[in-house]
Amino acid sequence: MDMTAPLALKGDVLLIPVSELDSATRRSIDCHDDDVALSRPRSRGTSTVVDPTAAALLEQFRTPRTIVEAVVRFSRDRQVQADDVLDDAYHLVRRMVDQGFIIAPRGEDEPAEAADSQELRAQLVRGDVVAGAVVRRLLQLLEDTEVYVARHPQAGACVLKIQRAGVSSTTTHFAGEARVLELLGGDVGPRLIAEGLHDGRPFLLMEHCSGIDAASAAEEHRRDAADGPRRQVALMCAIAGTYARLHELGVVHGDVHPRNVLVGGDGRVRLIDFGLSANRSAGLGDLPLMRGGVAFFQDPETAEAALYGRPWPPLTPAGEQYSIGALLYLLLTGVHYLDFSLGRLELLREIAEQGPVPLMERGLPAWPAMEAILFRALAKRSEDRYPSVAGLADALERLQAVARSDSTEDAVAPARLALDAVAARILDETALDGAWFTNGFALGPTASVSYGAAGVAYVLGRVTKAREDPALMARADAWLCRADTLARTDPRAFLDPGGELAPDIVGTATPFHTRSGIAVVRATLGEMFGDAHEQARAVDEYLSAVAQAPSNLDVTLGQCSTILGALQILQTIPPAWAAVRQQLVDFGNTRVQGVWADLRERPSIPTSGIANLGMAHGWAGFVHTALCWHGMTGAPLPDGVTSRLEELADLAEPSGRGLTWPWELVSGVDANYMSGWCNGSAGHVVLWTTAARTFGDERHLDLAIGAACDVWDTPDTSCTLCCGLAGRSYALLAMYRLTRDRTWLGRARSLGYRAVHGVFESGYPHSLYKGQLVLPVLAADLADPDRSCQPFFDLDPRGL
């Protein structure tokens, strides 16, 4: 290594204090509390750990400089002698170069991307066409390869895997992977659609395999209190059986890890990423036996070769059986079969020499039969393993018949009680001698449904209906009076001028954020009290407040919000009050036709000028509102609704074992995707369940199921009704009400119970859509799902 040449950290290198890692990762690393982990998220290489002094020295290479320059700067900052540092620095930097964390910057005659400091960016964008397939979104970005979701006019949803420009084709194995896929013919992996060159870059176009990675599927089973053990063994059987079939076809995968195993909604397992596979089928010969993969799943034969500098051993079914055993252990327990060190040599020695940790030490109950199966697959000598992976699969199949199950009720009771406890605490906050009522809300808006007193009154009304509690009914009335007063006297009643709720955004009509929402709550409580005067007053107030149509169209701020508000009131008005009902129907008919007169004139959704596809602010909300109005009033559907519904269906994109829609249609491939109600999959569940109920079309049901799978599979983020777990729970309740499938009910409850552990928007615990106020209603709805409806949005023909 040239001491006089400038070197630099690669631009994507992260230096993360070990103390900031999650507890599971921290336990798996042999290090001190003040050490620092180095990682490259886009790299195929492994992470490593250095001490804090080494980390500080490496930070000097954020800017390209020679080792001597870096040592001089480091020594000056630390006030130590440079000569004392130089020798250790040389060996450290050499190791970092070998591991790919440090590289030499490009020369003056090459593109000015010194030390690869520029962040990796996708080289294709949405709408690009490769082999007839239209790129939809980026799926994975690595140093050498990019993977996209695309759509082919004949093959439908597909995956495009393409080499990055400037990468040597000898490192990507595209030709070999294509030959393996042709041999498999879609049996245990994706079907090959096309291969070739695009702008000189090799690519593969493959069938899209619907599914989630094996680790996510296993985590789902571990959360299943009732049937988890049985489902876990079934998953392990399916994985072992799929690899056995692969070996039967003459192929050894060579890259076993959870992300290369996809589990479909029906439990079918498919394997992906055959770039490192070996193929010994007759007539095709052997592919180059390059070794790679994730180190934690390497077999002892490979680890010993690396440890002692021997030639790589060939890929064999026996070696892969060990890797499969390591994978199955991880899926069963949630942790690796060894407490691996992060240092490369230590890790290799552990693979070669140490036996797996007993299952009881991983927190599982004693399970000798399962342990015996896994430990045989993880035997250090290949001759001590099963004769084939088929033998491993057979052993798991025999065990599956006696897999244990626990009591659902006993297991979920703590989670249900945790939600009930938080719901009770929130109800205590609404007491008339509590701080919320006596001191008011510190932040505006103070009166609205979404953020203020009207939302509190609404929640108390919903809980009163569930509990038939007169004390809560009186409290709801007091909060409604408080909202009335604040609406007249408080400048902050409906606005937060310093934030997102400025006057030009909120307008004057939306029930979520203005005075019209108080009228909707008045009608709701008036029905509960049997107070005809209050209900009639509510109708007059509402129609007056929404008379001037908002300038935009959407469900939370625009004209569709006023239509849904009218429906909320309409469902409280008795059929005998024909004249009052007709006032609301006339208003809604006019407003619906006005919205769709605008939408009909626009070109197709991608070029319509409205990029948002979601429920709160986009096309899903427009269509859903029209369907709801038609469903409750019997009014004809406006022209254009069904065609827009079909356009939205065509914009669905595969995501794991489900479907997703972009938040907005943007020019690049970095479109936003989310699982929440406002702009994501939960809102699409509501749309497609409504469409399925309206038209009875199986395709709409399939789209609802696809969106619901994405809602369930997405990791937890926010916990609010707007964007997070509470809204996602209500979406799955909608699936249950439509299908009566108790799987969706169990999943809705799981998401709802987890909501109590998440983070809500700071400063607004009293917000219905952005805070914790929804939890008492959610708790009641999860207990009585047949009567559930998302607060201030869903419609219940029986009223609240």
Side-chain angles (χ1 to χ4, degrees):
M1 188 171 63
D2 187 352
M3 296 278 286
T4 64
L7 302 169
L9 278 174
K10 283 199 167 186
D12 59 348
V13 172
L14 302 178
L15 278 76
I16 307 169
V18 167
S19 60
E20 296 180 6
L21 299 175
D22 63 85
S23 57
T25 303
R26 175 68 184 85
R27 287 195 301 271
S28 70
I29 300 174
D30 182 16
C31 58
H32 299 290
D33 290 341
D34 58 351
D35 284 347
V36 177
L38 275 74
S39 178
R40 296 184 58 224
R42 303 296 189 185
S43 170
R44 297 182 186 273
T46 58
S47 300
T48 193
V49 168
V50 297
D51 63 47
T53 301
L57 177 59
L58 293 175
E59 286 286 4
Q60 295 291 330
F61 291 96
R62 290 293 185 189
T63 299
R65 49 178 55 103
T66 67
I67 294 178
V68 172
E69 289 171 334
V71 168
V72 169
R73 285 173 169 271
F74 173 83
S75 303
R76 184 182 61 206
D77 293 344
R78 293 295 181 101
Q79 297 184 343
V80 296
Q81 292 295 318
D83 290 345
D84 297 336
V85 176
L86 186 58
D87 186 58
D88 287 342
Y90 176 82
H91 291 290
L92 170 68
V93 172
R94 186 182 186 107
R95 179 159 65 94
M96 294 298 103
V97 170
D98 290 343
Q99 294 183 12
F101 291 103
I102 288 180
I103 62 170
R106 300 178 187 275
E108 292 182 2
D109 58 342
E110 296 182 78
E113 295 181 294
D116 193 29
S117 59
Q118 300 298 316
E119 180 183 356
L120 283 178
R121 291 182 173 85
Q123 295 177 336
L124 297 178
V125 298
R126 186 182 183 91
D128 283 350
V129 179
V130 178
V134 180
V135 171
R136 286 287 185 91
R137 62 186 172 96
L138 180 68
L139 197 60
Q140 186 181 42
L141 175 61
L142 294 173
E143 289 178 304
D144 55 1
T145 308
E146 298 170 1
V147 183
Y148 298 87
V149 172
R151 189 166 188 86
H152 191 275
Q154 282 79 47
C158 53
V159 170
L160 171 68
K161 182 176 181 179
I162 186 168
Q163 179 180 294
R164 284 182 62 79
V167 174
S168 171
S169 61
T170 61
T171 65
T172 51
H173 321 295
F174 278 77
E177 183 168 8
R179 302 290 77 74
V180 170
L181 293 177
E182 285 180 335
L183 170 67
L184 298 179
D187 189 338
V188 298
R191 179 175 55 86
L192 181 66
I193 298 170
E195 63 170 315
L197 295 176
H198 177 77
D199 292 338
R201 300 158 58 189
F203 73 86
L204 301 175
L205 191 65
M206 300 167 281
E207 167 196 9
H208 179 272
C209 296
S210 175
I212 55 175
D213 68 83
S216 297
E219 174 62 24
E220 176 184 327
H221 298 336
R222 287 195 293 273
R223 293 198 306 259
D224 184 348
D227 205 25
R230 185 195 62 78
R231 296 177 68 197
Q232 194 76 294
V233 179
L235 172 63
M236 297 167 72
C237 287
I239 291 172
T242 301
Y243 277 106
R245 173 61 177 159
L246 180 71
H247 292 177
E248 180 185 326
L249 292 170
V251 175
V252 182
H253 189 274
D255 194 8
V256 175
H257 64 78
R259 293 187 303 279
N260 281 345
V261 180
L262 296 182
V263 184
D266 58 358
R268 182 186 181 189
V269 169
R270 308 285 291 280
L271 305 178
I272 59 173
D273 198 353
F274 291 87
L276 299 176
S277 298
N279 174 8
R280 306 186 188 285
S281 298
L284 293 179
D286 288 348
L287 298 180
L289 299 180
M290 299 294 294
R291 302 309 302 267
V294 177
F296 301 134
F297 302 95
Q298 282 185 348
D299 56 87
E301 299 92 304
T302 302
E304 284 187 357
L307 192 61
Y308 298 112
R310 300 171 186 162
W312 292 113
L315 290 171
T316 66
E320 186 144 283
Q321 182 183 152
Y322 188 95
S323 301
I324 296 165
L327 172 64
L328 297 179
Y329 186 105
L330 172 66
L331 299 182
L332 181 67
T333 65
V335 291
H336 291 292
Y337 70 98
L338 290 174
D339 295 322
F340 289 111
S341 302
L342 206 54
R344 179 174 178 271
L345 293 180
E346 293 85 353
L347 184 148
L348 292 172
R349 188 171 291 108
E350 289 159 354
I351 294 172
E353 300 174 359
Q354 291 187 17
V357 176
L359 296 182
M360 288 186 67
E361 293 185 25
R362 297 308 195 197
L364 270 66
W367 201 346
M370 174 63 79
E371 191 167 273
I373 293 171
L374 292 179
F375 283 22
R376 183 173 178 182
L378 289 167
K380 296 303 176 183
R381 301 194 313 162
S382 61
E383 58 265 32
D384 293 334
R385 299 168 199 154
Y386 288 95
S388 67
V389 174
L392 169 61
D394 289 342
L396 288 168
E397 288 284 356
R398 291 192 296 271
L399 181 63
Q400 184 177 8
V402 294
R404 303 155 305 156
S405 293
D406 299 316
S407 165
T408 305
E409 189 59 31
D410 290 345
V412 302
R416 186 187 67 247
L417 292 174
L419 175 59
D420 290 343
V422 174
R425 177 180 59 76
I426 292 168
L427 289 178
D428 288 344
E429 297 276 10
T430 69
L432 301 187
D433 58 354
W436 284 8
F437 195 87
T438 57
N439 299 333
F441 298 136
L443 300 173
T446 60
S448 70
V449 167
S450 191
Y451 284 92
V456 177
Y458 176 86
V459 165
L460 290 169
R462 287 284 303 268
V463 177
T464 295
K465 190 71 172 178
R467 296 186 181 182
E468 299 181 356
D469 186 337
L472 287 181
M473 184 179 295
R475 193 187 302 179
D477 189 47
W479 275 98
L480 180 62
C481 292
R482 169 59 64 89
D484 256 340
T485 300
L486 291 170
R488 295 192 304 272
T489 62
D490 189 351
R492 304 173 305 148
F494 302 111
L495 302 175
D496 174 20
E500 64 179 19
L501 298 175
D504 59 329
I505 295 175
V506 173
T508 61
T510 167
F512 286 97
H513 299 291
T514 74
R515 184 185 296 272
S516 67
I518 297 177
V520 176
V521 178
R522 188 184 309 285
T524 299
L525 299 184
E527 182 202 22
M528 290 172 48
F529 290 136
D531 190 334
H533 173 75
E534 280 291 277
Q535 288 179 274
R537 176 186 170 191
V539 172
D540 290 341
E541 285 183 354
Y542 185 79
L543 293 176
S544 175
V546 299
Q548 182 175 349
S551 57
N552 62 8
L553 304 178
D554 70 47
V555 157
T556 56
L557 297 169
Q559 294 184 43
C560 286
S561 73
T562 64
I563 298 166
L564 290 175
L567 286 172
Q568 294 278 338
I569 296 177
L570 190 61
Q571 68 181 353
T572 72
I573 304 299
W577 297 9
V580 175
R581 291 178 65 85
Q582 193 60 47
Q583 286 181 280
L584 290 166
V585 170
D586 289 344
F587 161 78
N589 285 338
T590 300
R591 190 63 51 90
V592 168
Q593 292 301 326
V595 167
W596 283 91
D598 179 325
L599 296 176
R600 267 196 309 274
E601 297 302 315
R602 296 175 182 265
S604 65
I605 288 176
T607 58
S608 66
I610 301 176
N612 193 298
L613 301 184
M615 180 60 70
H617 303 292
W619 285 96
F622 306 151
V623 176
H624 177 260
T625 301
L627 295 178
C628 287
W629 186 258
H630 163 74
M632 177 165 281
T633 67
L637 278 174
D639 293 340
V641 170
T642 55
S643 62
R644 297 303 192 182
L645 197 62
E646 289 306 303
E647 288 181 52
L648 280 171
D650 290 340
L651 290 169
E653 299 177 6
S655 174
R657 55 184 169 182
L659 297 170
T660 188
W661 284 256
W663 179 333
E664 291 185 322
L665 293 175
V666 295
S667 57
V669 293
D670 295 327
N672 289 329
Y673 299 84
M674 66 173 297
S675 58
W677 168 83
C678 53
N679 296 298
S681 299
H684 285 279
V685 172
V686 177
L687 168 65
W688 295 108
T689 54
T690 303
R693 189 175 288 109
T694 301
F695 300 108
D697 189 326
E698 286 293 321
R699 185 188 182 203
H700 297 156
L701 176 59
D702 289 342
L703 289 163
I705 292 172
C709 285
D710 189 64
V711 167
W712 171 243
D713 291 335
T714 303
D716 297 353
T717 50
S718 166
C719 293
T720 62
L721 183 54
C722 177
C723 308
L725 284 165
R728 290 162 60 188
S729 179
Y730 272 109
L732 299 191
L733 283 172
M735 281 298 303
Y736 164 70
R737 293 196 308 271
L738 176 68
T739 65
R740 314 308 297 176
D741 182 344
R742 295 189 67 85
T743 298
W744 295 117
L745 175 57
R747 291 174 173 179
R749 284 174 169 160
S750 179
L751 295 184
Y753 297 154
R754 300 208 303 265
V756 302
H757 303 295
V759 177
F760 289 82
E761 303 258 341
S762 61
Y764 292 103
H766 49 274
S767 171
L768 179 60
Y769 268 74
K770 295 293 184 71
Q772 295 177 304
L773 185 60
V774 67
L775 293 183
V777 183
L778 179 59
D781 281 342
L782 292 175
D784 187 9
D786 292 332
R787 294 180 59 84
S788 63
C789 61
Q790 181 172 322
F792 215 76
F793 176 71
D794 272 345
L795 300 176
D796 182 352
R798 298 166 297 183
L800 294 173

